Amino acid sequence: MLRTALRNVLAHKARLVMTALAVMLGVAFVSGTLVFGDTVAGAFRGASAKNLDGVAVAVQDNGTTAEPEAKPGAFETALDGKLVRRIAELPGAESVRPTVNGRATLAAKDGDPVNADADWHNLAVNYAPGKDGKDPLYPLTKGRAPASAGELALDAKTAEKAGYRIGDTVRFATDGPALTKKLVGLVSTDDPRVTAGGTLAVFDTATAQKLFTAPGFYDEITVGARPGTDESKLTADVRALLPEDGAATATSGQALAAQQSRDIAQSTGALTKALLVFAGIALFVGVFIIANTFTMLIAQRTREIALLRAVGASRKQVVRSVLIEAALLGLAASAAGFALGLGIASVLPPLLNAGGAGLPDGPLVISPGALVWSLVVGVVVTVFAAWLPSRKAARIAPVEAMSTVDAGPAPRGPQVRHGARAPPGGGGVPLLVYVAGLKKPAEVDLLTALFGAGLFLLGLIVLAPLLSRPFIALTGRLTERLYGVSGKLAKENALRNPRRTAATASALMIGLCLITGLTVAAQSADRAVAAEATTGLAADYRISNSAYRGIDKDAADKVARVPGVSVAAPVASAMGQTPGGYLHLTGADPGTLGKVTDLRFTSGSLTDVGPGKVALSQELAQERGLAVGDTFKAELGGRFVDGAREGATEKTFTVVGVFEKNRTVEEALGSLGDVLPYAMDKRLDEVLVKADGGAASSSLDGKIRDALGNSPLLKVQDRDQIVAQETGAVGTVLNMMYGLLGMAVLIAVLGVVNTLAMSVFERTREIGMLRAIGLDRAGIRQMVRLESVIICLFGAALGIGSGIFLAWLNSGVAGGGLPAYETVLPWLRLGLFVVLALVVGVLAAIWPARRAARMDVLGAVHSA
């Protein structure tokens, strides 16, 4: 039976091409994802290892974080020059490198900010030369190191990205107004945050301390050990020198590397798992193609299998033969898919980096696990899909050995049984209805919704053969009226085996269902986000800091003096602690705020807000049981030490109004004088601007920037830009989903081609008879093409319809916390999906139609 299985694979290799392609593409998705994940993790680990090379102990100030953070004004840390000298005197310490970390957003030479929306990747450090006068962490590649307050160096890639050359004046910002320094050198770095697309600015130590800490203070100290030194003992010796209040922490280089490795594995693992979900969808679609192929092959080999049974082959041997055939096919296709996956893994990082992913460079990492899993997944999926057809093969009786190869029409009985099996799948609908009724779905309810959607799709797949009859009959009337005999034959061919037609259409249905559901949900969310982004906002501009560090408290006064500005309203915020929980308190001048916002009060009014008097949102008032006239106490300012707030100021507020929540004022509104002293660094969150005439213009935009120092951190947005910022992520994610689900649609197209090609072979004699009685080649091509279009339209109808239904039913999950969320049907895109199905039907039929039309008439009539 092994020889029989091998012979069958070789004998039918042309008919198995499309199936092999489906398996290959699905496995390529899996292998590419696994190799991509290993490659990205390896690149991050390699960059981190180089960055930690020679580091035996790392000392960090607990008042800062491991990530660099710009700190306005003097900021004394627990790490000072005295501690650096004491660590350098330890017997095991060979080198000590004190580091100042910060963030600096550069303006490119053309004036545009570099990485303005990814400020955490805009690193700034001090140049710390060793005994040889060079900094091993940032070796110079050109020019010299910065040596005075008016100089800086840049990473070579950063300089290239921003368009700077040595000698140019570089404009940048660390917190407030723009600063300028002369570029005197270029350095290289292995820091993964920089190699992954970030920027790096290097200053002399005194300048870096003035910008980010305070003179004589550092964020971090790295210690190199002498040869033969016990790293654990050196770490303990360093810890003994640190302040006893726990203001600083010493970590061994090995522990730091292990922690970074765990963090990298966790972050890259999440991306890999997300991609594997889409790979699983592609393989699931491939199951329909594989099952269809083996079902048709077995139907074509009825006489052969019956003869095997007649000469003594048992049912188990027949099943085993078909499964071995499937395993051989799966193994060969999986091997090819793994090779293709290597290509996918190699092009994914550049593609993602082009979209701003910021992945570091690194060699392709091919682990044995990726190879083994790819082959196992491909073989298991292929064998699983062939299992039911193999059982059907085993039931072929020896007396069928003399029957004809032509396939007769499928009986109607099984379709009814399909309908009887559908209710278990339909059980997903109650789950979806339950989730749809939830206003704030939790993560567990999201999983319930996904499970319910899966059950619903399974039920639809089971019902598809039953649904195919009325749909094809209806569509067939149109094709018959438009194309005559060819249209009628196409309809009859599609109806001949509803189970096969449904399986082929179901593969396309799954892809279109997911794409449609995502499109409807994304468009609805996009519309809701756009509506909420400007709800209650009457301003023409919003001025803020792209790094969320606030803007100077006198910014509103400067903007108000700009010609063309009618109103400039400053807005600040502070977090407070009340007996009922935390409170987000927004501060503004009621007089100017009323001109740039449209706050809707249900009781009280904006003019009632003043010193000691606040207005609350409806949600907060209801949650805390407060109404107009009530008073409450709140602790503002201070800081948390060991979980307790210290240094806070207690203030008593009177509730004077209740308003509808919006994006400008979310929970509570007080006077600017009550809030600004307790805001972070006593800075404004934003300034809302009303232009003369109520219209934004590029000239006014430039004037506002100039008035505020034109810092690269400055963000001046009109209403359209605010909406674009809020909704931009939705479009990016949707386009990425289209790309990932495109593989499933491509595999579904291969399934249509495969079904038509094998169906043409089944009907060889029938096509010969049609040619003999006068149907020309053009009619044959048209017949096959129309059959393909009917199948694809059926898949599109199921897919688009079910996608809309699932998106509507899961609107509570898709809308999340968006009160304005309503299901919106993007008719243009839905129409494009229908056109896509028509195009798929026409393209998928090209090769089968040509093959059918070129058949020799006499040879086809006499085929057995």
Side-chain angles (χ1 to χ4, degrees):
M1 297 307 292
L2 178 61
R3 287 196 301 270
T4 301
L6 183 59
R7 181 187 62 78
N8 283 330
V9 171
L10 296 175
H12 302 101
K13 52 183 178 292
R15 300 178 217 173
L16 292 171
V17 167
M18 295 301 169
T19 302
L21 281 175
V23 177
M24 183 182 74
L25 290 175
V27 171
F29 207 155
V30 173
S31 63
T33 298
L34 294 174
V35 174
F36 166 74
D38 291 339
T39 298
V40 172
F44 272 114
R45 279 194 294 267
S48 298
K50 289 180 181 179
N51 208 36
L52 292 173
D53 188 27
V55 176
V57 184
V59 184
Q60 293 176 335
D61 175 64
N62 287 339
T64 63
T65 62
E67 290 291 326
E69 180 178 354
K71 299 167 283 293
F75 189 95
E76 295 184 358
T77 70
L79 313 181
D80 56 15
K82 181 179 178 181
L83 178 62
V84 172
R85 291 189 292 271
R86 292 177 65 191
I87 293 176
E89 294 171 356
L90 290 174
E94 182 177 46
S95 62
V96 179
R97 186 188 190 283
T99 302
V100 179
N101 290 317
R103 293 177 185 160
T105 299
L106 305 175
K109 200 166 185 179
D110 60 6
D112 293 333
V114 180
N115 289 353
D117 294 325
D119 181 65
W120 53 91
H121 281 171
N122 297 333
L123 310 186
V125 297
N126 65 312
Y127 191 83
K131 296 176 181 179
D132 58 357
K134 300 179 181 179
D135 188 337
L137 202 57
Y138 305 109
L140 285 163
T141 59
K142 193 174 182 180
R144 61 177 177 83
S148 66
E151 299 176 344
L152 87 164
L154 296 177
D155 168 59
K157 290 185 178 180
T158 299
E160 181 181 1
K161 183 190 302 183
Y164 287 118
R165 295 182 179 180
I166 290 180
D168 289 342
T169 298
V170 178
R171 190 163 61 89
F172 67 96
T174 61
D175 178 60
L179 304 173
T180 57
K181 296 187 185 296
K182 183 180 179 180
L183 179 62
V184 296
L186 301 179
V187 302
S188 63
T189 179
D190 294 315
D191 192 313
R193 293 165 297 184
V194 180
T195 58
T199 63
L200 175 67
V202 183
F203 306 92
D204 66 279
T205 298
T207 301
Q209 288 176 332
K210 183 179 179 181
L211 290 172
F212 306 117
T213 57
F217 291 89
Y218 304 91
D219 291 297
E220 185 178 11
I221 302 172
T222 55
V223 185
R226 298 180 184 276
T229 301
D230 185 349
E231 188 173 293
S232 300
K233 183 179 184 306
L234 179 60
T235 303
D237 292 341
V238 172
R239 284 175 182 158
L241 300 177
L242 300 182
E244 295 181 357
D245 60 359
T249 303
T251 310
S252 68
Q254 292 179 350
L256 198 60
Q259 180 60 47
Q260 287 191 1
S261 181
R262 287 192 294 270
D263 293 342
I264 290 169
Q266 183 177 1
S267 60
T268 57
L271 177 60
T272 301
K273 289 176 181 177
L275 291 175
L276 282 175
V277 170
F278 291 93
I281 293 171
L283 284 170
F284 182 63
V285 171
V287 166
F288 291 91
I289 300 174
I290 300 166
N292 245 6
T293 300
F294 278 93
T295 299
M296 296 173 76
L297 280 176
I298 288 167
Q300 294 167 15
R301 285 157 38 193
T302 300
R303 181 177 298 176
E304 174 189 328
I305 295 172
L307 284 172
L308 285 174
R309 293 293 315 282
V311 298
S314 66
R315 289 189 174 185
K316 288 184 178 180
Q317 287 178 311
V318 172
V319 171
R320 194 179 305 131
S321 173
V322 175
L323 294 183
I324 291 173
E325 184 178 344
L328 293 173
L329 173 67
L331 185 62
S334 299
F338 180 78
L340 179 61
L342 298 182
I344 294 175
S346 63
V347 301
L348 265 180
L351 286 176
L352 293 175
N353 282 338
L359 300 176
D361 297 329
L364 208 62
V365 178
I366 306 173
S367 65
L371 173 60
V372 172
W373 276 111
S374 299
L375 296 180
V376 168
V377 166
V379 171
V380 168
V381 167
T382 310
V383 171
F384 171 76
W387 180 65
L388 284 177
S390 71
R391 294 187 61 192
K392 182 179 178 182
R395 288 197 295 267
I396 296 177
V399 295
E400 295 183 40
M402 300 306 295
S403 64
T404 180
V405 74
D406 292 338
R412 297 182 63 92
Q415 313 313 319
V416 178
R417 289 197 297 271
H418 272 284
R421 296 191 205 119
V429 175
L431 289 176
L432 296 174
V433 172
Y434 160 73
V435 174
L438 299 174
K439 294 182 179 179
K440 296 182 178 180
E443 182 178 355
V444 65
D445 297 311
L446 174 60
L447 296 176
T448 304
L450 293 174
F451 181 68
L455 283 180
F456 172 76
L457 283 178
L458 287 176
L460 197 59
I461 290 169
V462 173
L463 274 174
L466 192 62
L467 297 173
S468 66
R469 286 187 178 275
F471 181 89
I472 294 173
L474 182 63
T475 310
R477 291 181 183 178
L478 180 62
T479 60
E480 186 176 351
R481 177 171 299 181
L482 293 176
Y483 299 99
V485 174
S486 297
K488 181 177 178 62
L489 290 172
K491 179 191 72 172
E492 295 300 328
N493 289 335
L495 283 173
R496 174 179 304 198
N497 195 326
R499 189 178 299 178
R500 180 192 303 168
T501 299
T504 306
S506 294
L508 185 61
M509 176 200 75
I510 294 169
L512 284 178
C513 173
L514 296 174
I515 289 176
T516 301
L518 286 171
T519 301
V520 173
Q523 291 289 103
S524 302
D526 190 83
R527 185 78 61 88
V529 170
E532 289 200 8
T534 55
T535 297
L537 183 67
D540 298 310
Y541 288 101
R542 183 175 68 189
I543 305 170
S544 59
N545 187 304
S546 63
Y548 305 101
R549 301 178 198 157
I551 52 181
D552 292 337
K553 57 185 178 182
D554 60 349
D557 295 332
K558 293 179 180 179
V559 173
R561 292 193 290 269
V562 173
V565 172
S566 173
V567 179
V571 179
S573 66
M575 291 301 297
Q577 177 75 44
T578 69
Y582 288 107
L583 174 71
H584 184 267
L585 182 61
T586 300
D589 173 32
T592 57
L593 186 67
K595 298 177 182 179
V596 294
T597 61
D598 183 23
L599 282 179
R600 299 180 180 179
F601 279 76
T602 57
S603 60
S605 67
L606 181 60
T607 57
D608 295 327
V609 176
K613 300 176 181 179
V614 300
L616 305 179
S617 68
Q618 287 178 315
E619 291 83 350
L620 185 67
Q622 184 176 4
E623 177 187 328
R624 304 287 169 87
L626 296 172
V628 172
D630 292 341
T631 61
F632 65 92
K633 293 182 179 181
E635 293 182 348
L636 301 175
R639 62 191 184 116
F640 283 96
V641 178
D642 296 329
R645 185 188 290 270
E646 293 185 357
T649 301
E650 185 177 85
K651 295 180 72 70
T652 300
F653 293 103
T654 302
V655 179
V656 295
V658 177
F659 60 87
E660 296 178 5
K661 179 180 177 181
N662 63 59
R663 297 292 290 273
T664 305
V665 185
E666 295 188 357
E667 287 191 345
L669 174 65
S671 68
L672 189 64
D674 279 342
V675 177
L676 187 58
Y678 308 102
M680 183 177 293
D681 302 319
K682 299 182 180 180
R683 292 162 70 83
L684 299 174
D685 287 352
E686 58 190 15
V687 175
L688 301 178
V689 178
K690 190 76 172 177
D692 287 336
S697 65
S698 58
S699 60
L700 183 56
D701 182 309
K703 292 177 183 178
I704 292 174
R705 290 181 179 277
D706 291 339
L708 296 178
N710 200 15
S711 167
L713 288 172
L714 191 65
K715 185 182 289 187
V716 181
Q717 299 171 293
D718 59 27
R719 294 174 66 88
D720 291 339
Q721 291 170 331
I722 292 172
V723 172
Q725 175 184 297
E726 297 286 344
T727 60
V730 176
T732 301
V733 171
L734 183 60
N735 290 333
M736 184 177 68
M737 294 293 188
Y738 282 163
L740 294 172
L741 290 172
M743 184 71 77
V745 175
L746 176 59
I747 293 175
V749 173
L750 294 178
V752 178
V753 176
N754 199 39
T755 299
L756 290 174
M758 299 189 73
S759 180
V760 165
F761 178 83
E762 277 186 355
R763 304 201 301 265
T764 298
R765 180 182 296 176
E766 176 188 318
I767 293 172
M769 291 296 295
L770 289 172
R771 289 293 315 283
I773 62 176
L775 189 62
D776 59 9
R777 290 185 175 181
I780 294 293
R781 285 195 296 267
Q782 191 175 72
M783 175 188 71
V784 177
R785 191 161 48 242
L786 289 173
E787 181 183 353
S788 175
V789 168
I790 289 173
I791 292 173
C792 290
L793 282 178
F794 178 52
L798 288 180
I800 295 174
S802 59
I804 293 173
F805 175 72
L806 291 176
W808 169 74
L809 208 53
N810 286 292
S811 58
V813 174
L818 297 173
Y821 184 92
E822 291 182 357
T823 302
V824 176
L825 296 184
W827 293 108
L828 179 59
R829 293 202 180 190
L830 296 179
L832 288 176
F833 295 160
V834 175
V835 173
L836 173 65
L838 289 171
V839 172
V840 165
V842 173
L843 295 180
I846 291 176
W847 177 59
R850 285 170 58 88
R851 185 172 181 271
R854 290 182 176 182
M855 283 184 184
D856 177 69
V857 177
L858 293 178
V861 171
H862 289 89
S863 65

